[in-house]
Amino acid sequence: MCGCCVVLVLFCLGLLSAVFLPDQSQKPQLGDAQLATNNPTLTTVSLEKPFCMFDSSLYPNRSYTIYLYVMKESASAMSSLVTDDSNKPLGSTFQQTSRGQLRPYNAAFFDVPDCAVPPRLADVRSFVHASYVLKQYLFRVGDDGTCLYDPNFLGVCNPPLAPDTTYRFKYVLVDNSEGMVKDQTLWSDPIKTRRAKLPMKIDTWPG
Amino acid sequence: MAKTENGVRIFQGLLILGNVVIGMCGIALTAECIYFVSDPHGLYPLLEATENDDIYAAAWIGIFVGFALLALSILGIVGVIKSNRTLLLVYIILMLITFAFEMASCITAATHRDFLTPNLFLKQMLEKYQKPEAGNNNDKWMSEGVTKTWDKLMLQNQCCGVNGPSDWQEYTSAFRTTYSDADFPWPHNCCVLDSQGHPINLDGCKLGVHGFFKSNGCYAAISGPMNRQAWGVAWFGFAILCWTVSSSSCSPAS
């Protein structure tokens, strides 16, 4: 009798959590290695956009934005929070967080990708559709270095990452009207950028 | 008596034949070496920048040895017909000198070919391709030569880097100091280009999507012609030398 009760309670709890708690088992992934073979590079990482990751948290007739946060793995011990006390997303930039060393910085924000119409990766073979498919499917962290050259630039910046460094990434779903965080993924697995060797160390002796 | 005379005649005939063959080989050697020296594949600047262009020196020696063999073969034929001892002595001495030069050329070509490893060209490409204003004029000349040659190689042979485009990601380079990794993970000549010379899809090229960048290495396109040159000069030279030795050693007997 008691055993039955326990099982029933656990079952109900599980059901409730599935219905009311947001699904946090998803995390940002690297782009498909068969498609994007040059990933990660020395200073960039191309992540898959969060297709169908936040669907359970989306309500119709409301607009949302996805924020991407980047931090060095060494920062995770200090602080990996992306929201403030009132559950609003932190606006920390690349410069403010010392290139992601102190805490996560917001690298970009974009519209929620449409889960119903995912990009057809086979279309990338066509020269006409390739750019569209790649833009729909992937986001390239570290793509834009121009904001580094403007000392007065205080906005959201996505400059090149550091080589031979481990980074972690997180997507956050933000409701545009309230400005509040509705859902977030887990921090991604550690992803390391490439390391470059020195050419003077190349041994040219034929022996 | 008539039999010995006949024998001598046959022997002289054989010697003249031998010299004719040497003369023709000389012409062939000159022609072959002129072809190599003319650098039809445009790879000489790469060798010049490695400061190891001895296979070209071997080809130059081959040109002059070829002419010398032609002249000596005529001298040999005249000497055999006239049965002049002095002429034949001069022939032998000059032939020995030519032999020594040709031997040097063949050995140089054969041994210096071994230095042309992928790492040699990789190091040179990384250090000199698109190198910004270098120190002295010589350095600048070599960097420009390497840059032009590599650009031409990548365009004509649809290839990138020595082992592949990953060379540009695995090593730092002079190219990397000027061009950022985000915009140029590898030079734009490594992308598949349209008829105007622009990448057909720059994003696809940067991400390494198959069909938008060249995934082969250029080493085969470099080593193929250079090996053919080195082996051509070396082995043809050795073959001529063997023939020369055998026919010259018979001529004193006449």
Side-chain angles (χ1 to χ4, degrees):
Chain A
M1 183 68 185
C2 229
C4 271
C5 284
V6 169
V7 167
L8 197 62
V9 164
L10 283 172
F11 178 73
C12 287
L13 273 174
L15 205 60
L16 279 169
S17 65
V19 168
F20 290 112
L21 285 181
D23 182 8
Q24 296 210 326
S25 60
Q26 305 262 36
K27 37 186 161 171
Q29 304 285 342
L30 266 182
D32 181 15
Q34 301 280 341
L35 177 73
T37 57
N38 187 30
N39 188 23
T41 69
L42 287 170
T43 57
T44 67
V45 171
S46 291
L47 298 170
E48 278 184 4
K49 283 194 174 169
F51 281 93
C52 308
M53 276 190 200
F54 296 120
D55 265 17
S56 48
S57 316
L58 292 176
Y59 287 98
N61 300 329
R62 296 190 83 132
S63 69
Y64 296 89
T65 306
I66 298 208
Y67 282 39
L68 169 64
Y69 283 89
V70 181
M71 82 171 166
K72 288 193 183 173
E73 199 183 20
S74 49
S76 55
M78 287 184 262
S79 164
S80 60
L81 287 174
V82 295
T83 57
D84 59 16
D85 296 328
S86 56
N87 211 30
K88 291 218 163 86
L90 283 177
S92 29
T93 64
F94 180 79
Q95 280 95 340
Q96 288 168 348
T97 62
S98 198
R99 296 164 176 256
Q101 220 160 318
L102 302 174
R103 48 182 194 284
Y105 68 92
N106 182 9
F109 44 81
F110 45 84
D111 293 330
V112 182
D114 191 354
C115 183
V117 190
R120 289 179 351 159
L121 297 186
D123 275 351
V124 90
R125 302 254 173 265
S126 139
F127 301 157
V128 174
H129 295 120
S131 281
Y132 175 76
V133 170
L134 289 171
K135 277 216 159 38
Q136 289 292 98
Y137 174 58
L138 292 173
F139 180 80
R140 200 160 179 243
V141 185
D143 209 13
D144 179 21
T146 51
C147 52
L148 285 178
Y149 299 123
D150 182 357
N152 298 323
F153 189 88
L154 296 169
V156 166
C157 197
N158 181 21
L161 306 170
D164 197 26
T165 313
T166 317
Y167 285 89
R168 302 186 77 167
F169 307 91
K170 181 190 268 253
Y171 287 120
V172 171
L173 182 73
V174 175
D175 183 318
N176 287 341
S177 45
E178 295 168 23
M180 308 261 278
V181 169
K182 290 297 170 195
D183 199 358
Q184 51 182 284
T185 63
L186 298 172
W187 282 104
S188 71
D189 292 331
I191 296 173
K192 194 167 191 186
T193 48
R194 288 185 90 137
R195 184 172 76 96
K197 298 181 267 195
L198 289 173
M200 63 175 84
K201 297 252 171 80
I202 299 174
D203 181 15
T204 57
W205 183 248
Chain B
M1 203 56 194
K3 238 183 170 174
T4 339
E5 250 210 44
N6 265 344
V8 169
R9 283 257 181 268
I10 292 170
F11 193 66
Q12 280 185 329
L14 283 172
L15 279 179
I16 289 171
L17 183 68
N19 275 308
V20 165
V21 172
I22 288 177
M24 293 200 297
C25 284
I27 295 173
L29 183 67
T30 303
E32 183 199 26
C33 290
I34 287 177
Y35 170 74
F36 285 135
V37 164
S38 70
D39 194 20
H41 296 275
L43 295 172
Y44 181 68
L46 293 185
L47 283 180
E48 196 187 8
T50 62
E51 286 164 6
N52 189 359
D53 57 354
D54 285 344
I55 58 172
Y56 275 85
W60 275 108
I61 294 175
I63 294 176
F64 295 113
V65 163
F67 273 127
L69 284 175
L70 178 65
L72 280 176
S73 67
I74 296 171
L75 182 70
I77 291 170
V78 169
V80 164
I81 291 173
K82 293 227 168 107
S83 295
N84 187 335
R85 239 188 152 74
T86 329
L87 264 179
L88 286 173
L89 205 59
V90 167
Y91 170 81
I92 300 274
I93 291 171
L94 288 178
M95 196 53 111
L96 276 174
I97 295 172
T98 311
F99 186 94
F101 272 103
E102 180 59 12
M103 185 69 110
S105 159
C106 294
I107 292 176
T108 305
T111 55
H112 279 266
R113 192 215 65 80
D114 290 337
F115 283 95
L116 306 178
T117 55
N119 275 354
L120 179 71
F121 295 111
L122 177 64
K123 188 169 181 181
Q124 181 197 75
M125 176 185 82
L126 293 168
E127 288 179 349
K128 295 203 158 70
Y129 180 76
Q130 299 271 16
K131 189 172 177 182
E133 284 305 312
N136 54 37
N137 272 341
N138 192 33
D139 217 12
K140 190 159 164 276
W141 169 260
M142 291 205 282
S143 300
E144 275 172 21
V146 168
T147 304
K148 278 205 199 90
T149 308
W150 269 103
D151 284 337
K152 196 166 62 84
L153 262 175
M154 291 196 279
L155 280 173
Q156 285 179 349
N157 298 90
Q158 306 299 320
C159 60
C160 177
V162 173
N163 302 308
S166 54
D167 288 342
W168 295 105
Q169 286 287 308
E170 279 176 38
Y171 293 94
T172 59
S173 51
F175 175 76
R176 184 65 59 229
T177 58
T178 325
Y179 297 92
S180 73
D181 170 65
D183 292 324
F184 292 87
W186 34 63
H188 278 182
N189 277 343
C190 287
C191 300
V192 174
L193 302 173
D194 62 18
S195 49
Q196 270 90 34
H198 303 299
I200 52 174
N201 190 313
L202 193 55
D203 290 325
C205 180
K206 288 197 233 174
L207 286 168
V209 179
H210 286 296
F212 298 110
F213 75 116
K214 298 164 187 168
S215 46
N216 302 325
C218 296
Y219 182 64
I222 297 172
S223 66
M226 284 192 189
N227 279 351
R228 278 196 289 279
Q229 173 168 337
W231 290 137
V233 169
W235 288 114
F236 190 50
F238 277 130
I240 294 174
L241 288 177
C242 291
W243 181 264
T244 313
V245 162
S246 52
S247 64
S248 304
S249 58
C250 293
S251 44
S254 74

